[in-house]
Amino acid sequence: GCQSGSGDSQTLTAGTAPGFPPFEMKQDGELVGFDVELLEAVIAASEYELSGWEELEFKSLIPALNNGNVDVVAAGMTINDDRDEAIDFSDPYYSSNQAIVVRESGSFSPSSLDDLSGATVGAQKGTTGESVIKDQLIEAGTVPESNYNAYGNYVLAVEDLLNENVDVIIIDVPVANSFVADRPIESAFVHETGEQFGFGVQSGNDELAGALNSGLTTVEDDGTYRDLTEKWFGQ
Ligand code: ARG
């Protein structure tokens, strides 16, 4: 919860959804990743303090903000109009498109959404990858609704791809790069969505959104942002 009081520092609880490397994942039981370190650095540059992290399913993050269980969300969350109606966002801190990921050894090598005709497709519930499936594949009649497998997190989706339970998963490009690095899967093509990630806050919490934006500027100017991208994306 957020305690107000002029002059006193306000304590925040952050929410995220691990299983989305390198943004947030569990390593030896610990929550780590780019979002975790970036938000911690941004909050350290503000008058707020972070009391801890709540780990939730991605689709539960906006409800958790709205019912006050968390004050801020850092989860590779794409800023879009639907979400903007429910919550507010910080300025963007990362850009992404959607990767169409398949098994490396498979004979299936699609190069466009049309090539996914009749395929079984997977994504994490509540994500923009799921929106591509619903809005561009199911709606267009390219795949029947029954061919869509919705997962609680992308680790489970990748396991199902490896186990040949699904032909394709649709996932943010930087996260696809992380999964394909040490598994026999590959990105077949990229569907350009031009997404930008922002930190989520409760609708109307302009004070916190403003503090996050100033904090983002601070960590961009002092080299912390660049150091974190080098550490987590190797670039
Ligand atoms: N960028 C996508 C979206 O906003 C996927 C985010 C999934 N994040 C996560 N931590 N699992 O819908």
Side-chain angles (χ1 to χ4, degrees):
C2 178
Q3 300 303 316
S4 295
S6 55
D8 296 332
S9 66
Q10 302 174 32
T11 304
L12 305 173
T13 301
T16 193
F20 198 64
F23 291 91
E24 41 267 342
M25 66 260 210
K26 300 300 289 245
Q27 224 166 56
D28 304 320
E30 264 204 68
L31 178 68
V32 298
F34 177 75
D35 277 338
V36 176
E37 289 195 47
L38 180 64
L39 183 66
E40 288 180 355
V42 163
I43 290 178
S46 78
E47 303 221 310
Y48 289 85
E49 271 175 36
L50 187 66
S51 65
W53 288 88
E54 289 279 337
E55 296 170 21
L56 297 163
E57 276 202 10
F58 185 75
K59 68 174 171 54
S60 304
L61 289 170
I62 288 178
L65 268 178
N66 285 332
N67 69 27
N69 281 353
V70 303
D71 304 297
V72 56
V73 161
M77 188 180 277
T78 301
I79 302 167
N80 65 29
D81 290 345
D82 281 351
R83 292 172 182 165
D84 243 332
E85 283 177 18
I87 62 170
D88 286 344
F89 284 99
S90 71
D91 291 336
Y93 64 83
Y94 210 85
S95 302
S96 180
N97 291 301
Q98 294 293 315
I100 283 56
V101 178
V102 298
R103 283 179 298 280
E104 219 166 49
S105 54
S107 51
F108 185 49
S109 48
S111 57
S112 72
L113 291 182
D114 282 344
D115 290 345
L116 301 182
S117 178
T120 51
V121 293
Q124 182 179 22
K125 283 175 209 160
T127 61
T128 49
E130 173 175 84
S131 299
V132 171
I133 292 172
K134 287 185 172 168
D135 302 345
Q136 323 252 4
L137 293 175
I138 295 173
E139 194 89 334
T142 310
V143 302
E145 196 172 352
S146 56
N147 278 21
Y148 173 42
N149 294 17
Y151 299 92
N153 65 62
Y154 270 117
V155 173
L156 299 173
V158 167
E159 277 171 17
D160 247 14
L161 179 62
L162 287 166
N163 293 336
E164 309 193 9
N165 289 325
V166 68
D167 298 322
V168 166
I169 63 173
I170 302 188
I171 182 166
D172 299 65
V173 168
V175 181
N177 292 341
S178 173
F179 279 122
V180 306
D182 50 6
R183 291 175 182 80
I185 57 176
E186 65 188 5
S187 173
F189 68 96
V190 169
H191 176 64
E192 305 271 343
T193 49
E195 293 169 63
Q196 295 197 297
F197 298 169
F199 299 127
V201 300
Q202 272 126 18
S203 188
N205 194 348
D206 297 342
E207 193 189 332
L208 178 53
L212 295 174
N213 292 341
S214 321
L216 276 170
T217 305
T218 303
V219 302
E220 276 158 17
D221 291 347
D222 71 8
T224 304
Y225 182 89
R226 195 196 51 234
D227 291 347
L228 290 178
T229 54
E230 272 167 22
K231 173 175 178 181
W232 292 103
F233 303 98
Q235 61 195 18

